[in-house]
Amino acid sequence: MPSPEPTRTLNVSFFGAGLSSAMGLPNTPALLTELRRSGSKELLAQLDEAYRFLYPDAIYEHYQPDVVDFFSSLSAFVGIGQGWPGTKFKNGRELFRSLKKAVVKMLIDKARAIPDDSLKKHSYLTEVVRPGAVVITTNWDPLIERFAELNSLALSYSTSSGKFSDTSVTLLKLHGSVDWTSREAATRAFTITDYAALGELRYAVRPYTRQLPDSPDSLVRVRTKWSSAWQTVASRTREPWIVTMVSGKQDELGPLASVWRDAYSALGRASSLEITGYSLPADDVEVRTLLRAGMQRGNSNPKSLLVRDPSPAVHARFRTLLDHHIESNFVGVPPH
């Protein structure tokens, strides 16, 4: 267990969807709209069926529900009501799985559309994503990984024995990632040829492999190449491990417990904390609790707590729910 009285020496960045949307990826409110543009005819038919089952107003043309409410309602039905006789909606679990794969494909495709040179030299990422940095994010997309690869930055998804490296980037993805899977969802023989432990360094000068975890619900990374990322992920997992935007995520967060422990440890050791593109939404009570707990750990707070977002309402929310003394930067993330 980490010491209850940590020394605050780390520079920690916390990224939300606003960072990715600045580079052309959809944020949460736009997710269903984007899926309707890019999804298959079969997926769209499944969505329409689910809308009609869950919402009376779905009888009207072009109806689209709130994203968080839809995922929460679908998750609740799958969890407690799937198979109830007479509902005429039998494919909820299949739809949930199809939606996750469609989201993953869409995010990978949109990330690949960003020119390598633009991403490699991105002004804000160059400033904050560097050796020794700890990045905590709620995003699923592979933008930070691709930035690290283009700049030859070693990257890991976990700490080594609770110690944060000063020679690599530590990327803690609280809600999973487009290329993560549980062991039980893997579709290939569970070997280091196709899968990697989350603690294994990526893009290291001297790469090495780590033993894969034994537990069936342990999470691993699918080994991919940028040029064929979606095809590889699709062929190696039945269901990528991305925690959707539902109210009450505790069950899905279970396999991510080690990531959350690392995030708490990093926040508790943060000398500076910059929160970028994250709006602290009401449904994200788990992340809010994590941030607050990390701020309150030990006898001192971070010397610098900065929130970067163009919306005044977001800064007011952070002052109400996280800390009265945040610094505000109302300039959003630059697109390049």
Side-chain angles (χ1 to χ4, degrees):
M1 288 293 292
S3 167
E5 301 292 340
T7 302
R8 291 190 174 272
T9 58
L10 295 177
N11 295 317
V12 179
S13 299
F14 190 104
F15 295 158
L19 176 90
S20 300
S21 63
M23 299 183 216
L25 276 67
N27 58 14
T28 298
L31 197 60
L32 288 175
T33 300
E34 196 60 46
L35 284 178
R36 293 200 73 87
R37 290 175 184 162
S38 60
S40 66
K41 290 183 179 180
E42 181 182 5
L43 178 66
L44 299 186
Q46 288 179 309
L47 276 175
D48 288 339
E49 180 187 6
Y51 291 173
R52 289 192 297 271
F53 172 68
L54 294 170
Y55 302 99
D57 284 348
I59 60 174
Y60 301 113
E61 191 175 1
H62 304 305
Y63 174 82
Q64 186 165 290
D66 172 78
V67 173
V68 174
D69 188 83
F70 171 70
F71 275 94
S72 298
S73 298
L74 180 61
S75 176
F77 177 71
V78 169
I80 64 174
Q82 183 70 342
W84 278 342
T87 63
K88 300 179 182 179
F89 180 51
K90 304 298 184 184
N91 68 339
R93 185 70 191 90
E94 177 189 344
L95 174 58
F96 212 11
R97 185 180 297 112
S98 297
L99 281 172
K100 287 184 177 182
K101 297 192 85 167
V103 167
V104 165
K105 183 180 186 303
M106 181 258 293
L107 290 177
I108 291 176
D109 287 347
K110 285 191 169 293
R112 288 187 61 193
I114 302 172
D116 284 352
D117 190 59
S118 175
L119 183 58
K120 179 179 180 179
K121 299 177 180 178
H122 191 276
S123 56
Y124 181 67
L125 293 183
T126 299
E127 177 185 339
V128 298
V129 182
R130 56 181 63 187
V134 178
V135 176
I136 305 171
T137 182
T138 56
N139 299 339
W140 308 311
D141 62 67
L143 287 182
I144 304 303
E145 289 94 321
R146 183 56 177 163
F147 175 83
E149 183 179 16
L150 291 169
N151 288 282
S152 300
L153 298 172
L155 178 147
S156 176
Y157 298 109
S158 65
T159 65
S160 176
S161 302
K163 297 180 180 179
F164 293 91
S165 171
D166 58 4
T167 59
S168 64
V169 177
T170 303
L171 177 61
L172 304 174
K173 305 188 85 167
L174 299 177
H175 291 163
S177 184
V178 293
D179 57 355
W180 291 8
T181 180
S182 66
R183 179 167 183 161
E184 63 182 0
T187 55
R188 295 285 185 95
F190 204 64
T191 68
I192 59 174
T193 301
D194 292 317
Y195 305 97
L198 297 187
E200 182 176 310
L201 276 179
R202 301 186 74 174
Y203 323 124
V205 175
R206 297 179 179 177
Y208 63 90
T209 59
R210 297 185 62 169
Q211 184 176 353
L212 296 175
D214 295 326
S215 174
D217 62 351
S218 294
L219 300 182
V220 295
R221 173 176 61 85
V222 175
R223 294 190 187 275
T224 61
K225 294 182 179 179
W226 186 242
S227 59
S228 57
W230 162 243
Q231 293 88 340
T232 307
V233 169
S235 67
R236 285 160 175 74
T237 180
R238 289 187 296 275
E239 185 172 350
W241 197 272
I242 57 173
V243 178
T244 53
M245 56 295 292
V246 301
S247 53
K249 308 178 182 71
Q250 288 89 342
D251 289 344
E252 287 188 277
L253 293 176
L256 290 158
S258 63
V259 177
W260 282 66
R261 283 195 299 269
D262 282 344
Y264 171 65
S265 179
L267 291 167
R269 302 181 193 183
S271 174
S272 66
L273 172 60
E274 181 167 325
I275 302 172
T276 300
Y278 179 69
S279 62
L280 202 67
D283 61 284
D284 219 352
V285 65
E286 296 89 357
V287 172
R288 185 213 312 173
T289 303
L290 171 70
L291 286 168
R292 181 64 180 170
M295 290 284 298
Q296 295 297 305
R297 186 177 169 203
N299 293 322
S300 63
N301 293 331
K303 295 178 182 178
S304 172
L305 172 59
L306 176 69
V307 172
R308 178 191 287 260
D309 196 285
S311 169
V314 169
H315 296 265
R317 196 175 305 133
F318 270 100
R319 287 191 170 87
T320 299
L321 298 175
L322 185 62
D323 193 282
H324 293 159
H325 304 101
I326 67 164
E327 301 172 59
S328 291
N329 184 335
F330 293 96
V331 177
V333 178
H336 49 72

